[in-house]
Amino acid sequence: MDIGSFILDPAHLGAPLAAVSVFLAVIVVSWPYLVRDNLAARMRQVQGERERIRRRERARLAADESPVSLRTKPKKLFQAIVDRFNLTKQAEDGGLALKLKMAGYRGYAPVVAFLAVRLISPFVLFAVSASYILLVLNPSIPVIATSAIAGAIGALGYFAPALVLQNKITKRQKDIRRGWPDALDLLLISVESGMGIESAFRKVAEEIGAQSGALAEELSLTTAELSYLQDRRQAFENLGERTGVEGVRAVVTSLIQAEKYGTPVAQSLRVMAQENRDIRMSEAEKKAAALPPKLTVPMILFFLPVLFAVIITPAVIQISAVP
């Protein structure tokens, strides 16, 4: 019997094909048990690394001998004033607490102190100004005029704490805005070197402290929140709210989107770092362009009179010396 015809005979092909089908079916069914799931192992490793970083940060914060408490108790005098004049609702206002956070004051105690100082400062300024007018300037001034002047000065005392707070916020934001591009570069280098976002924030906070203490403080607080909070999005949003700087908010939005959609964090940081450097350069160019008009008035008042005096004085001396 011909071997070729024997192999091609349909009656003899059924058994080998059935054996091959059974073998392949067994392989398909047992494949998940034979091949290791690298993706699941990597995900478990990342989750374990995240938990390890959280435990390390918690241990580091707990081991600090002089931890900074964000829930310091307000002074009894300020608390009594707030309770006496029913300012509790204002103390619970989130807008005022946010402004104080932007200025670097956190917790309930700064809110109570601000409300108490804003309440008593008009009376203090009124008493001080009235005493100064009556006792030092001119005791013969009528009482009505003295009261009006002292009342006007006292009224300014109600707005003085808000102006001081706004000035503090402006200075702090300026400090953060100056150091933010350099912090982004350091953050980008840390992420590209293989660090997690928590470790990168902690490393940048340690390195940027010499340039911007306010930025180092905010990044350290963000590192602690990333270790404690279960929702990382909330930690990033808190960073943007506390600083109030547009560049920081833009980077925070990019980090949140990267966490949500799984896009590369390094690529987003690279783009944002370049944008922040361009913004800082444009601000420096604007200041340089505005310098000549600002120097015009000082030159007219201080430089030109001296120049005219140097030029005209010899001629005046010669003319006066002629008999």
Side-chain angles (χ1 to χ4, degrees):
M1 186 177 188
D2 190 5
I3 298 176
S5 60
F6 178 80
I7 296 175
L8 296 177
D9 188 3
H12 298 90
L13 291 177
L17 292 177
V20 171
S21 300
V22 171
F23 177 76
L24 293 177
V26 172
I27 293 296
V28 170
V29 173
S30 61
W31 185 262
Y33 302 98
L34 297 177
V35 180
R36 184 179 179 183
D37 189 0
N38 295 325
L39 178 60
R42 291 181 62 184
M43 294 300 294
R44 288 193 298 268
Q45 183 180 2
V46 170
Q47 184 66 24
E49 180 68 16
R50 181 178 299 176
E51 293 297 331
R52 187 183 67 81
I53 292 174
R54 288 181 178 177
R55 289 194 299 267
R56 184 187 63 191
E57 294 297 328
R58 291 173 182 174
R60 185 176 65 85
L61 293 175
D64 192 0
E65 296 180 357
S66 59
V68 179
S69 177
L70 299 181
R71 296 184 178 273
T72 55
K73 294 183 179 180
K75 294 184 179 181
K76 295 182 179 180
L77 176 60
F78 293 159
Q79 185 65 52
I81 293 174
V82 171
D83 295 338
R84 177 66 179 81
F85 292 94
N86 296 325
L87 301 178
T88 306
K89 291 184 179 180
Q90 297 184 20
E92 296 176 354
D93 185 12
L96 179 58
L98 180 59
K99 287 185 177 180
L100 290 171
K101 288 180 181 179
M102 293 171 63
Y105 304 106
R106 301 180 181 86
Y108 182 70
V111 178
V112 174
F114 178 82
L115 293 175
V117 170
R118 189 175 63 177
L119 183 62
I120 64 177
S121 58
F123 301 100
V124 173
L125 288 180
F126 176 81
V128 171
S129 59
S131 301
Y132 183 78
I133 293 173
L134 293 175
L135 301 177
V136 178
L137 292 182
N138 191 357
S140 62
I141 297 179
V143 178
I144 297 177
T146 303
S147 300
I149 297 174
I153 296 175
L156 296 177
Y158 181 82
F159 303 99
L163 295 176
V164 173
L165 179 62
Q166 185 62 40
N167 186 32
K168 180 70 175 179
I169 292 174
T170 303
K171 290 183 178 180
R172 185 179 176 84
Q173 289 180 345
K174 184 178 180 181
D175 186 17
I176 293 175
R177 195 176 292 110
R178 285 180 176 177
W180 184 240
D182 297 333
L184 274 182
D185 290 339
L186 293 175
L187 189 63
L188 175 61
I189 294 172
S190 301
V191 171
E192 288 184 341
S193 65
M195 288 186 179
I197 194 65
E198 295 92 344
S199 302
F201 268 101
R202 180 174 58 84
K203 186 64 176 178
V204 173
E206 295 174 357
E207 297 294 334
I208 205 66
Q211 180 178 356
S212 175
L215 182 56
E217 180 183 351
E218 295 297 337
L219 293 179
S220 299
L221 186 57
T222 304
T223 304
E225 289 183 344
L226 288 173
S227 301
Y228 280 95
L229 297 178
Q230 294 296 330
D231 189 4
R232 298 159 62 87
R233 177 191 180 95
Q234 186 63 40
F236 292 136
E237 289 179 352
N238 291 341
L239 175 61
E241 290 179 357
R242 289 195 308 268
T243 56
V245 179
E246 292 299 329
V248 179
R249 289 179 177 175
V251 174
V252 163
T253 303
S254 299
L255 291 176
I256 292 174
Q257 292 177 353
E259 289 282 340
K260 182 177 181 180
Y261 299 106
T263 57
V265 178
Q267 182 178 358
S268 301
L269 291 177
R270 185 182 300 277
V271 174
M272 299 306 301
Q274 184 62 37
E275 289 182 0
N276 280 269
R277 285 201 170 275
D278 294 340
I279 291 174
R280 188 169 69 172
M281 183 60 67
S282 63
E283 290 180 354
E285 292 176 353
K286 289 180 181 179
K287 291 182 179 179
L291 187 60
K294 292 180 180 180
L295 291 177
T296 302
V297 175
M299 289 183 63
I300 294 174
L301 295 179
F302 302 104
F303 182 74
L304 292 181
V306 176
L307 181 62
F308 290 154
V310 171
I311 295 174
I312 297 175
T313 302
V316 173
I317 295 175
Q318 292 180 0
I319 293 174
S320 62
V322 176

